[in-house]
Each structure stands twice: as C-alpha cells, then as structure tokens.
Amino acid sequence: MTYLMQALQARAGEFISLRRDIHRHPELAFEEHRTAALVAGKLEDWGYAVERSVGGTGVVGTLRRGQGTRRLGIRADMDALPIDEASGTAWSSVNRGVMHACGHDGHTAMLLAAARHLAAEGRFDGTLHLIFQPAEEGGGGALRMMDDGLFERFPCDAVYAMHNMPGIEQGRIVLREGAAMASSDYATVTLHGIGGHGAMPHRAADPIVAAAGIVMALQSIVARNIDPLQAAVVTVGALHAGKANNVIPASATLELSVRALDREVRQTLERRIRALVAAQAESYGVSAHIEWRPGYAVLVNTPAETAFAREVATELVGADRVTLQGPPLTGSEDFAFMLERVPGSYLLIGNGAGDGVCMVHNPGYDFNDHNIAVGSALWVLLAERFLVPAGETRS
Ligand SMILES: [Zn+2]
Ligand SMILES: [Zn+2]
C-alpha cells in the first residue's frame, strides 16, 4: 500500500462518519442547503477560498499554491433522489421520501477527504478548484453553475469527476476515452385532426391512425438512418388519444425518449424525427406540433486527460484494478456539459460486485464506505500529478 493510501486510510473513519451524516440528511436538487453549508464550512476550516451559491446551492473551494499557472477542477455532486429509503442501515434517511440512492453523499465525502489532505500536506503547484455541484439528477445543476460563470470565475485547464458503480468490484477504477454516456432528449408530439362519429370516418381526420403510422415510421430511423455500428434509442413511451369506441378524437399525443452516444447521431435523430412526424401527419391529413426538450448532452471524455487519469489510477491501485476502456453507458450525466467546455474525464469506481449488489436508484442501495480512502487518494494523486511542482517532471 502506498504512503498516500495509508494516509487517507488512516483518516477514512472521520469521512465515513461525515458520509453517513450526509446520507442521513439527504436533500433534493437545488435544496442542498445543509449539505452545501457543511461542505463550505469544512473547506473554509482547511484554508480554502470558498464561493457559495454558485448556480443555486453550488459551492467552489479554491486552493492556490506556488507560482504554477495550471488549474485543475474536480467535481462532486451533492443531491439526493425522491425515493423512500429501505436500505436498513443505521444511517438511513431521516427526510421521508428523500434518499441518497445514487451515492452522491459518497462522492461529496471522497472529495472532502481529498480536500483536507491536499490542504494539510498536498505537494502541488498551481490552482485547485473543487466544485460541489447541486442537482445532477435531472436538474442540470452543472449547467446552472456554468450559467453562473463557473469557468469564467474559476478557469480550469482540465476537469474530472467520479461516480460509483454497483456491479463492479469495490475500488476498481473504470475509464473510457470518447463517448461514455448517452445524451437524453424528450419530445411531445401533439396531433390535431378533426373529431367525429366513429361510424363516419370520412367526415373526420383521425389522429389515432396518424399516431399509429408515426409510431411505426419512427422505428425506421434507428434501422435505416443510423450507422449500424452506432447506438441510438427512439422510444415512444406514451400514446394518449380518445375515450370512447364510437368517437374519433380531435387530438392525440405521443411522448418520446431519444438517446444517442454520438453528437452527430443525436442531431440526426432530431432531424429525422421532425421530418417523419411532419410528413406522416400531412399524409394522414392532420397537423403536428413537436415540443422538443433537450436533456443532457453526450458525455465525451477527451483522450489526453483520460490517458492521464489512467496513469494516475494505475500508479495508485495497480494495473489489475484498472479497466482502461470500459463499455459506454446508456444513462445520462450532466457533467457532459462541463466536458463540452473543458477537456477532462469522467471515471467510475466500483461499488462492489457479487450477490446482493444493489443498483443505484434502488431503495436498498448504499454507498460503499471502503471507497472513501481509494477515491480520495485518487483525487489527491491526480491533483499532485496534474499540478506538479516546478523542478519535478510530470510522470
Ligand atoms: Zn443517479
Ligand atoms: Zn449519480
């Protein structure tokens, strides 16, 4: 075990307690007041310059050392989910209907443990920005912080984040260069026809038949417009129309979920959905309105920054506990927006594998506290290697 790992292991108890305290008091998106205050207070105690209320409840802690001009950003998310906890742990949520079911309590604790160590004995030269983000779970907290001038006020040459992942052995670090998580967009299609008697369809313009035609036509996009080696999803998850068997309704609505692992594929999906819906509607004599709601972007890890993180992870835990190129995930993550602005990489850390593993967003889930030492050691080593003091060479 390296000296660094030993040092963080020795202090892990304090941060496991902190993690459990945050777990016991989960807060939903943009309501992370207690968590943000706790984070800001700790950072200030350790000598960080702290900025509160960045993009709502976000917190940024900055530590400068030496004359180095390089600037590193590390991001943790702080929000919980609207889930009734059933983990059975002694540190279960006291906020009914709210739960840290995605391990953001652990991400926050790992970054705080790293923050304390870096302030106390970190060997680095340059600027460290620790970004504690609100509202990752669908609220787009990353965008809110960026709209609030995150990267203008705290410029970064690279930015990193890490998420725990059940089903992967505890402490294994998984990296991936390129597209790693999917974009997710949503569309509501409203068809307006002419209602009428079910016995006289020629006197009506039936939106149900048009909707059925559209559902089938949409299937051809993934089959015929997307490169078979690319991934794409077009799902019609809801179709609402009509109330009675002898009445042709005047309107119908469809709800679509659209995902891609490539920025161009994402654009193609939107373009083809719009074109098909318009042409199909016209062919059935109804009008169509599409409300397109862009969600999270494709998360793309840049090559150089991912390679750098691989070196750091391998140095820390050894090559046999690092997956160099993991599979992409169809889930979405708003760190994607930060990576559209600043090069960087999104890492996974195994939360444990085998029987009884509980997936994130499950009421029985809990963050694996063994990861506090590993995850925080990884952040410390990454910062020290990225902001390497003058006279020492970057390994
Ligand atoms: Zn989640
Ligand atoms: Zn999460």
Side-chain angles (χ1 to χ4, degrees):
M1 195 187 279
T2 63
Y3 162 76
L4 178 62
M5 194 75 100
Q6 271 174 352
L8 285 150
Q9 198 81 62
R11 298 291 292 249
E14 173 187 343
F15 290 93
I16 290 171
S17 301
L18 186 72
R19 198 283 292 181
R20 293 176 179 180
D21 177 68
I22 297 171
H23 188 95
R24 196 176 284 121
H25 302 96
E27 296 168 301
L28 292 174
F30 296 119
E31 294 172 7
E32 307 92 337
H33 300 290
R34 181 187 186 275
T35 313
L38 190 154
V39 165
K42 294 276 181 200
L43 292 172
E44 269 171 355
D45 287 349
W46 299 328
Y48 284 76
V50 173
E51 202 67 51
R52 292 172 164 81
S53 307
V54 183
T57 38
V59 176
V60 180
T62 298
L63 196 62
R64 287 198 177 80
R65 198 158 278 179
Q67 305 299 316
T69 54
R70 278 165 72 84
R71 303 149 308 178
L72 174 68
I74 305 177
R75 172 274 214 175
D77 38 17
M78 301 189 291
D79 58 317
L81 285 156
I83 292 176
D84 261 320
E85 178 154 9
S87 71
T89 58
W91 48 91
S92 288
S93 170
V94 298
N95 297 340
R96 214 185 177 150
V98 185
M99 175 191 176
H100 268 297
C102 205
H104 299 185
D105 50 342
H107 305 163
T108 298
M110 287 192 299
L111 190 51
L112 282 176
R116 195 211 65 86
H117 183 92
L118 283 162
E121 51 184 301
R123 286 176 48 76
F124 68 93
D125 186 45
T127 301
L128 188 63
H129 293 305
L130 304 185
I131 302 163
F132 292 86
Q133 185 209 298
E136 189 286 320
E137 299 286 1
L143 266 188
R144 278 280 293 275
M145 289 190 88
M146 288 165 67
D147 288 346
D148 205 1
L150 177 66
F151 291 124
E152 289 79 20
R153 294 158 68 187
F154 313 98
C156 295
D157 298 308
V159 65
Y160 288 89
M162 178 160 41
H163 205 295
N164 78 95
M165 191 52 64
I168 299 171
E169 68 178 294
Q170 182 266 315
R172 168 172 288 275
I173 308 295
V174 180
L175 300 104
R176 179 177 171 81
E177 178 190 318
M181 295 189 78
S183 60
S184 58
D185 298 316
Y186 311 94
T188 301
V189 177
T190 308
L191 302 173
H192 295 286
I194 298 170
H197 198 296
M200 289 174 271
H202 59 297
R203 306 284 297 272
D206 190 344
I208 291 184
V209 175
I214 287 171
V215 171
M216 295 314 292
L218 288 175
Q219 309 308 311
S220 73
I221 296 175
V222 174
R224 300 290 87 175
N225 300 130
I226 303 299
D227 180 341
L229 296 179
Q230 295 275 12
V233 177
V234 178
T235 289
V236 180
L239 199 173
H240 297 290
K243 285 195 174 74
N245 61 20
N246 61 349
V247 178
I248 293 170
S251 67
T253 58
L254 299 87
E255 300 285 349
L256 276 60
S257 171
V258 183
R259 288 169 189 258
L261 275 163
D262 176 272
R263 289 168 185 159
E264 271 179 42
V265 169
R266 184 188 191 196
Q267 288 169 1
T268 302
L269 291 175
E270 178 177 356
R271 190 165 42 77
R272 289 299 297 148
I273 288 169
R274 287 185 182 279
L276 267 182
V277 166
Q280 288 280 316
E282 194 188 350
S283 75
Y284 286 101
V286 303
S287 68
H289 173 79
I290 300 184
E291 185 199 337
W292 193 271
R293 296 187 301 283
Y296 291 174
V298 181
L299 185 145
V300 182
N301 292 323
T302 50
E305 287 68 25
T306 305
F308 173 72
R310 279 182 189 130
E311 285 172 27
V312 170
T314 305
E315 180 184 344
L316 184 75
V317 300
D320 58 338
R321 299 199 75 199
V322 177
T323 300
L324 298 180
Q325 186 73 347
L329 303 176
T330 50
S332 301
E333 161 66 53
D334 72 351
F335 187 62
F337 295 123
M338 294 195 185
L339 290 177
E340 286 185 330
R341 283 281 299 278
V342 180
S345 204
Y346 184 73
L347 289 57
L348 300 178
I349 183 167
N351 201 56
D355 290 346
V357 156
C358 200
M359 199 26 88
V360 287
H361 292 210
N362 182 294
Y365 166 86
D366 194 31
F367 181 83
N368 191 324
D369 282 323
H370 294 300
N371 277 337
I372 299 279
V374 189
S376 58
L378 184 69
W379 284 147
V380 169
L381 192 62
L382 188 113
E384 291 188 337
R385 291 286 178 270
F386 191 89
L387 305 172
V388 70
E392 297 178 22
T393 49
R394 268 182 79 187
S395 61

